[in-house]
Amino acid sequence: MNKARGYGLSAELERKKEAKYNSDEEADAIAWVEAVLGRDVFGGKSGPDNVYACLADGRVLCELANALRTADPNHSCGGEVKANTMNQPFKKMENIGKYLKFCEEQLGVPKGDQFQTVDLYEKQNMANVICQIHAVGRRAGAKGLQVPCLGPKEADANKREFTDEQLKEGQNIIGLQMGSNKGASQAGDHFGRPRQIAGDKAYS
């Protein structure tokens, strides 16, 4: 789907989206998807147009979701994600939606890392699609799925426990750092007060 570039603001937004597209991140995402699926998906081609052509109907993404599901040694990624093979637009968008739902609900990909269906189906923001694949790769590694790594490992949660005594001690320290306002007053502070007129002299 090749949309007209347009003029003015629409053209400027289009240029910004293209500027955000990172070819190195794309190459890593392509290599990771093909490694997980164990087959050539993108035909050795690159660029947002080719990525769009390969992913827009959502079938490869559903296949990716199922490959990740079966790579989970704990079998905690839900049931099969069934892709529609019909060519109607709403069926293709439904496939994309199933993939996004799997990523959020089964892998735990944050909503902020997800792309919108129109980002891919209408080719509105392919940079977001590439970023989301990287987020999926990170989550797959964090969940211990038996797939290749993509990008840096997600940081583990560092939950800390404090005793009541430690919490009280911390409150005392904060109180001392805040200082004291005893004896403080606003005497002599006249910001915002009207000028006082006495005789021929004006005081402010």
Side-chain angles (χ1 to χ4, degrees), residues 26 30 41-55 126:
E26 178 210 81
I30 285 176
V41 176
F42 298 91
K45 299 177 182 178
S46 60
D49 290 342
N50 186 61
V51 173
Y52 166 79
C54 294
L55 301 183
M126 294 303 296

Side-chain angles (χ1 to χ4, degrees), residues 85-192:
T85 57
M86 301 172 72
N87 286 322
Q88 289 94 332
F90 74 94
K91 290 295 183 183
K92 295 177 181 179
M93 289 188 283
E94 192 175 277
N95 285 342
I96 297 170
K98 287 180 179 181
Y99 163 76
L100 292 172
K101 182 178 180 181
F102 168 84
C103 292
E104 182 178 345
E105 296 183 358
Q106 305 302 329
L107 291 183
V109 175
K111 283 187 177 181
D113 288 336
Q114 296 270 63
F115 63 82
Q116 300 296 314
T117 299
V118 293
D119 287 343
L120 173 56
Y121 186 72
E122 296 183 6
K123 205 167 72 169
Q124 288 190 6
N125 198 328
M126 294 303 296
N128 279 355
V129 176
I130 295 298
C131 289
Q132 194 268 356
I133 293 174
H134 277 261
V136 171
R138 292 194 300 270
R139 283 302 302 154
K143 283 181 68 71
L145 272 58
Q146 296 173 342
V147 294
C149 295
L150 176 60
K153 181 182 177 182
E154 273 195 355
D156 296 326
N158 187 14
K159 188 176 180 181
R160 300 189 179 189
E161 302 285 346
F162 295 97
T163 64
D164 290 340
E165 185 177 341
Q166 287 173 322
L167 291 173
K168 288 177 182 178
E169 187 177 339
Q171 289 173 349
N172 290 335
I173 292 172
I174 292 172
L176 290 171
Q177 289 175 339
M178 293 288 287
S180 171
N181 65 352
K182 289 181 181 178
S185 76
Q186 291 184 335
D189 184 4
H190 56 271
F191 178 78

